[in-house]
Amino acid sequence: MANEILHDFFPLLRVYKNGRIERLMGQETVPPSLDPATGVQSKDVDIAPEINLSARIYLPPNADRSKKLPLLVYYHGGAFIIESAFSAQYQKHLNHLVAQANVVAVSVNYRLAPESPLPAAFEDSWRALNWSAEGKEEWIKEFADLNRVYLGGDSAGANIAHNMAMRVGSENPEGFNLRGIFLNCPFFGGVDPIGSETTEQSKRGREFSERLWRFVWPGLRGSDEAWVNPGKDPKISGLGCGKVLVYVAEKDFLKERGWYYKEVVSNCGWKGEIQCVEVAGEEHIFSVIAPHTEMGIAMLRKVASFINQ
């Protein structure tokens, strides 16, 4: 009985009938450090200890108090159920990204489902954004320019970044200027298949995603809700930034959602600029998994240009 599976999301997570939760990947964590390869420093901070909301902050080499840098608030991926801001994978990714883009970065460690179902991750992410924008934390206060704030994320984190930008647009918070967002292989969905989602391989991916959305957000009415499918959001033209960069991977079944997002945002009356880049031969979040490869480096350079242009 103890080994009977109730929810199986292999290779990510399993939940057993006795209530045990087994995360199958994304569990390894590493401490903050001075990275010898990039010269990037990092440290951990508590944002709201009562709900275990925290972050890892990154400072690029040669940061100068007299020359303020853009502030990047980053949301990690992991389907809302695995990974953390403190994992070895995201430590390496952020070290490379911060060095390439020359930004101060706040990598948010939001709560995960199923222990904390959605919308907990969204609420945590909003709280972390506003905490960052208060500018009270030492590195942010001394080195970051709150007039040049960017949001970024991969997979589920890209979904969060979009939804935070929507909330910025609707609530108009004071104290910072959200310039843009970059979405790496965003985890969006929708009831009706689009493009190549009708293929057998994509059908399996869509079925997995549908089950996953219902699991991480038991109160979700369906995958055409705006949180999941921006194309069904009547307020999409209120996206609260001036530019968007989307990356999709050729071999990722979610790529159609990235292209659809570009189409929707381009034609909704939003006044900003959006670009979508498809990378041939690559899989989901390739640049996070291998930021040191030729394609990974090329993407990081593109993101750096997007932030600093």
Side-chain angles (χ1 to χ4, degrees), residues 78 119 174 270-271 288:
E174 297 181 354
W270 176 67
K271 303 301 183 184
V288 175

Side-chain angles (χ1 to χ4, degrees), residues 66-86:
S66 68
K67 299 177 182 178
K68 295 291 184 80
L69 302 172
L71 175 65
L72 168 65
V73 179
Y74 191 88
Y75 304 108
H76 70 81
F80 300 105
I81 56 176
I82 61 167
E83 281 294 354
S84 81
F86 311 132

Side-chain angles (χ1 to χ4, degrees), residues 153-222:
D154 61 281
S155 195
N159 177 295
I160 293 173
H162 160 75
N163 280 297
M164 294 307 99
M166 288 300 300
R167 192 162 175 179
V168 168
S170 65
E171 297 190 16
N172 296 307
E174 297 181 354
F176 70 97
N177 179 11
L178 180 61
R179 294 286 187 93
I181 60 175
F182 71 89
L183 313 181
N184 181 4
C185 300
F187 181 35
F188 295 134
V191 171
D192 297 322
I194 55 176
S196 63
E197 288 182 347
T198 55
T199 66
E200 200 58 41
Q201 183 177 357
S202 290
K203 281 181 182 178
R204 291 194 295 271
R206 277 175 49 78
E207 289 169 1
F208 185 91
S209 294
E210 286 285 335
R211 287 197 301 115
L212 183 58
W213 275 112
R214 291 194 296 270
F215 175 71
V216 300
W217 200 336
L220 193 72
R221 291 190 297 271

Side-chain angles (χ1 to χ4, degrees), residues 22-189:
E22 180 186 19
R23 287 186 166 85
L24 305 172
M25 59 190 299
Q27 288 291 88
E28 178 194 1
T29 60
V30 295
S33 65
L34 172 59
D35 180 50
T38 61
V40 172
Q41 300 178 64
S42 56
K43 65 178 178 179
D44 294 343
V45 294
D46 287 326
I47 296 174
E50 69 277 9
I51 58 171
N52 199 30
L53 174 59
S54 55
R56 180 160 291 176
I57 303 184
Y58 294 82
L59 191 68
N62 305 315
D64 184 343
R65 290 174 176 82
S66 68
K67 299 177 182 178
K68 295 291 184 80
L69 302 172
L71 175 65
L72 168 65
V73 179
Y74 191 88
Y75 304 108
H76 70 81
F80 300 105
I81 56 176
I82 61 167
E83 281 294 354
S84 81
F86 311 132
S87 75
Q89 176 168 275
Y90 282 97
Q91 174 85 347
K92 184 174 184 178
H93 177 58
L94 266 294
N95 280 335
H96 282 270
L97 177 55
V98 167
Q100 191 69 241
N102 199 32
V103 296
V104 178
V106 177
S107 182
V108 180
N109 197 54
Y110 54 85
R111 289 172 291 171
L112 301 178
E115 297 92 336
S116 300
L118 290 177
F122 293 118
E123 293 304 322
D124 289 357
S125 297
W126 181 248
R127 189 167 179 175
L129 171 58
N130 283 280
W131 174 88
S132 302
E134 287 174 358
K136 295 179 180 178
E137 194 284 324
E138 179 188 8
W139 283 0
I140 297 174
K141 182 178 181 180
E142 294 188 7
F143 297 102
D145 180 0
L146 296 180
N147 192 46
R148 291 185 291 161
V149 175
Y150 288 82
L151 305 181
D154 61 281
S155 195
N159 177 295
I160 293 173
H162 160 75
N163 280 297
M164 294 307 99
M166 288 300 300
R167 192 162 175 179
V168 168
S170 65
E171 297 190 16
N172 296 307
E174 297 181 354
F176 70 97
N177 179 11
L178 180 61
R179 294 286 187 93
I181 60 175
F182 71 89
L183 313 181
N184 181 4
C185 300
F187 181 35
F188 295 134

